[in-house]
Amino acid sequence: MQPQDDAAVAPPLVELPINTHDRGFYDGFSRAVTIPSKVIVSLIIMWAIFFPVSASETLSAANSTIISSFAGWYVYLVAALMAVCFLLALWPQAGSLRIGQQDERPEFGRFSWFAMLFGAGIGIGMLTYSVGEPMAHFANNPDIIRGTIEPLSAEAVRPAYIYTFLHWGFAAWGSYALVGLAIGYVAYRRNLPLTIRSALAPLFGLRLTGIWGHLIDIVAVVATILGVAVTMGLGVEQFVAGLARLELGDWLLDADGSSSAAAVIVALLVLVGASTISALSGVGRGIKWLSNLNMGLSFALLVLFAIAGSGLLGLELLAVGLWDYLRTIVPNSLTMFSGGSETGDALVQWQLDWSVFYWAWWIAFAPFVGMFIARISRGRTVREYVLGVILVPSLMCFVWMTLVGGTAIDLELSGAAAGSIVEAGISDQLFATLSVLLSDGVANVVFGLVVILLMTYLVTSTDSAILIVNTINGAGETEGQRRRHILFWGAALALVVGSMLILGGIDAIRITMIIGALPFSFVVALMAISIVKAVVFDIRRKRHGVPTTADGCAEWESAK
């Protein structure tokens, strides 16, 4: 190898120093990230509690502007994230690269890996939307809006699942996978800190040690808290609905059927308290154990629906839905509806309420889930990582939607439900389905199972988020003792969810999340460019005999 060949491309950056405090309350933390993050989240909480009318009006106005102005940005960005992930997985030289040093092997077995992926990424949403999403599109979807099919008819079932799969499939998991890969690839191959800014190191290098790097991590922390708040809000609403179904008191629900303030407070005290205790135990114990429990309980619930529900219809919907999804994913992922007519305006509003909301939710959730996936995926190849993170959880979502949601639709089509499912609130639709499907005694037992499952999913997601926020604030350190900060973020998350639910309901949390997701969406776009550059340059380095990992760079330098 000639010297000029070695110099054809430089070795990768293997150091990204981030200043952390070395004593006192912020020992081991970047105060430039931690303090501004805490201040911003605290101001949001105080604004919502002390100025609820102003907060509601301002958030609603900002939400309308952002949704209408950036709808196309969200749609095309998420489509690009999916394309980049599959390109890297299917490109032979890229897919064989390992997220870690050359001979590293995965820390977790595949079952625990998949269980943690599903539990932290989307488990709570599945319990809420497994009935709610197919049922909503069964009543209203673009084909119904155009007048080509009737709502709540047999013809509405197939398009209902096209849009359900669109929202809960590759788009969600592609967003998570991209962020996790961009972080994990440079953190574990190049020994950079496990934090958001490191994902942009291939683009900006050592400039990320200063204010721009701090700003990126602050945006990620705030987006994480707001994204997880939506998931927690949905979970708390359904948790309270389950307790009400178990007839634990009239105090749980207000006159309009929504969760009472007292119920929200009690639920958050229980759930966030358990999450904080689990977070203190770390990923290898509390989160891993709870994720495995989640998977077992979820499987038991699915078996129940397969046997007692419409199992054959669910399998048929799964097969047909997969075919429809794969043949329509490209046009549906790139379609932007236009207004100007009554039908056009209705289509635009449907897309804003569903697709654009979801894309913003997945992006807001991506720093948390992406960091968490990176944390548990060290040692896997790029191909195994991408296909595992996107395909397996997507398929699990589809199975949930078809077995559980298909049973609910079948009960409505047959007349057995008599409108009780479709007319129920989204947080209560799963329980309404079980109530029609099972006898009272058996239904109560299953209600209890769902409540426990909800609790474990909520605890898993929340404690994972708390640990990830601490990791970002701690400049990538994952194992430090930061009990006081874990307690702060647990309390902050509870206050965000509680204040928004009590003062404005789940819509207030959704609006806040969409606003918080916008700044991070630009970071995600840069991450996609950064990971492509990192992989392309590593392939070039291998071709020229230049090391691509931190260990390889150390050996290369010592041999000079």
Side-chain angles (χ1 to χ4, degrees):
M1 182 70 65
Q2 297 298 319
Q4 61 267 30
D5 293 327
D6 289 340
V9 58
L13 177 71
V14 293
E15 290 184 7
L16 186 63
I18 302 173
N19 289 331
T20 56
H21 205 50
D22 59 1
R23 62 184 183 276
F25 186 79
Y26 288 99
D27 182 23
F29 274 72
S30 169
R31 290 190 296 183
V33 175
T34 308
I35 294 175
S37 300
K38 288 182 175 180
V39 169
I40 292 170
V41 172
S42 298
L43 288 174
I44 292 172
I45 294 168
M46 290 188 288
W47 189 32
I49 293 175
F50 297 114
F51 305 98
V53 175
S54 169
S56 177
E57 292 175 353
T58 304
L59 288 173
S60 296
N63 178 64
S64 299
T65 302
I66 287 172
I67 284 292
S68 59
S69 302
F70 291 93
W73 165 249
Y74 280 125
V75 168
Y76 297 129
L77 173 61
V78 170
L81 299 181
M82 288 189 283
V84 169
C85 283
F86 283 116
L87 171 67
L88 293 176
L90 299 177
W91 184 7
Q93 296 101 315
S96 62
L97 293 171
R98 195 168 293 278
I99 305 172
Q101 304 305 311
Q102 197 62 40
D103 299 323
E104 265 192 280
R105 291 298 176 264
E107 177 182 359
F108 299 103
R110 281 202 175 95
F111 180 84
S112 291
W113 186 52
F114 290 141
M116 286 190 281
L117 287 177
F118 191 74
I122 227 162
I124 300 167
M126 288 307 311
L127 288 175
T128 299
Y129 284 98
S130 56
V131 175
E133 175 105 4
M135 191 62 68
H137 300 325
F138 180 51
N140 187 45
N141 64 58
D143 291 339
I144 293 172
I145 293 171
R146 294 186 186 100
T148 58
I149 57 175
E150 291 295 318
L152 304 176
S153 65
E155 292 75 22
V157 177
R158 192 163 176 174
Y161 275 97
I162 290 177
Y163 297 108
T164 297
F165 284 14
L166 174 69
H167 295 150
W168 290 85
F170 299 167
W173 293 97
S175 302
Y176 300 159
L178 189 285
V179 172
L181 181 61
I183 297 167
Y185 188 86
V186 296
Y188 295 136
R189 286 183 70 85
R190 304 178 181 181
N191 286 352
L192 300 187
L194 186 69
T195 188
I196 301 296
R197 75 176 77 186
S198 294
L200 302 185
L203 289 179
F204 303 112
L206 290 173
R207 283 172 287 183
L208 294 172
T209 60
I211 188 171
W212 288 109
H214 301 329
L215 184 61
I216 288 166
D217 283 345
I218 292 167
V219 167
V221 169
V222 175
T224 297
I225 293 297
L226 297 180
V228 174
V230 171
T231 303
M232 276 202 70
L234 290 170
V236 166
E237 291 269 290
Q238 194 170 29
F239 184 75
V240 172
L243 296 178
R245 285 278 180 174
L246 291 170
E247 299 180 351
L248 296 183
D250 296 335
W251 63 276
L252 291 164
L253 300 176
D254 288 331
D256 61 357
S258 62
S259 302
S260 68
V264 169
I265 292 170
V266 170
L268 285 171
L269 286 173
V270 172
L271 296 168
V272 176
S275 302
T276 304
I277 293 170
S278 179
L280 291 170
S281 70
V283 174
R285 287 176 287 177
I287 297 175
K288 178 181 177 181
W289 183 84
L290 282 172
S291 296
N292 289 336
L293 177 62
N294 291 342
M295 189 66 82
L297 291 175
S298 299
F299 182 73
L301 190 60
L302 280 178
V303 169
L304 171 68
F305 273 96
I307 295 173
S310 306
L312 292 178
L313 175 63
L315 292 175
E316 180 183 344
L317 290 173
L318 178 62
V320 174
L322 279 171
W323 165 250
D324 286 343
Y325 173 60
L326 293 175
R327 71 178 176 81
T328 62
I329 184 172
V330 173
N332 282 343
S333 296
L334 297 173
T335 294
M336 280 295 301
F337 294 124
S338 58
S341 64
E342 184 177 349
T343 299
D345 290 344
L347 287 170
V348 168
Q349 192 59 51
W350 180 91
Q351 188 170 40
L352 295 179
D353 290 342
W354 287 99
S355 300
V356 175
F357 161 70
Y358 274 125
W359 298 168
W361 188 8
W362 304 151
I363 288 170
F365 219 41
F368 148 52
V369 181
M371 282 275 290
F372 183 74
I373 293 174
R375 168 67 182 82
I376 63 175
S377 300
R378 182 169 187 163
R380 300 189 185 277
T381 65
V382 170
R383 182 174 298 109
E384 180 187 16
Y385 168 90
V386 169
L387 297 181
V389 171
I390 295 180
L391 299 184
V392 175
S394 293
L395 183 59
M396 281 296 299
C397 290
F398 298 160
V399 170
W400 267 90
M401 295 293 188
T402 52
L403 283 178
V404 181
T407 296
I409 288 176
D410 194 32
L411 291 172
E412 287 289 358
L413 284 174
S414 68
S420 63
I421 301 173
V422 73
E423 293 171 6
I426 193 168
S427 297
D428 193 42
Q429 285 183 317
L430 176 59
F431 297 109
T433 303
L434 291 167
S435 183
V436 176
L437 187 65
L438 305 171
S439 64
D440 290 344
V442 177
N444 283 333
V445 173
V446 180
F447 290 162
L449 171 67
V450 174
V451 168
I452 293 171
L453 184 55
L454 265 171
M455 185 167 67
T456 57
Y457 271 135
L458 279 163
V459 170
T460 304
S461 291
T462 307
D463 64 8
S464 300
I466 293 170
L467 286 173
I468 292 307
V469 166
N470 255 4
T471 300
I472 297 172
N473 289 330
E477 174 59 44
T478 61
E479 302 299 338
Q481 295 297 315
R482 301 185 172 92
R483 295 178 180 273
R484 290 169 293 187
H485 299 281
I486 286 175
L487 293 173
F488 172 86
W489 289 113
L493 195 51
L495 287 170
V496 169
V497 175
S499 61
M500 294 292 180
L501 277 181
I502 292 170
L503 297 173
I506 193 66
D507 287 341
I509 302 179
R510 288 176 173 175
I511 290 170
T512 309
M513 177 274 298
I514 289 171
I515 296 170
L518 182 61
F520 190 69
S521 69
F522 297 104
V523 177
V524 173
L526 290 172
M527 283 183 171
I529 300 170
S530 183
I531 185 60
V532 171
K533 180 181 178 182
V535 168
V536 168
F537 272 64
D538 275 359
I539 291 172
R540 287 182 58 195
R541 290 183 181 103
K542 291 181 71 173
R543 188 180 304 128
H544 288 279
V546 178
T548 62
T549 64
D551 289 353
C553 286
E555 294 173 3
W556 196 56
E557 287 294 328
S558 63
K560 280 187 175 181

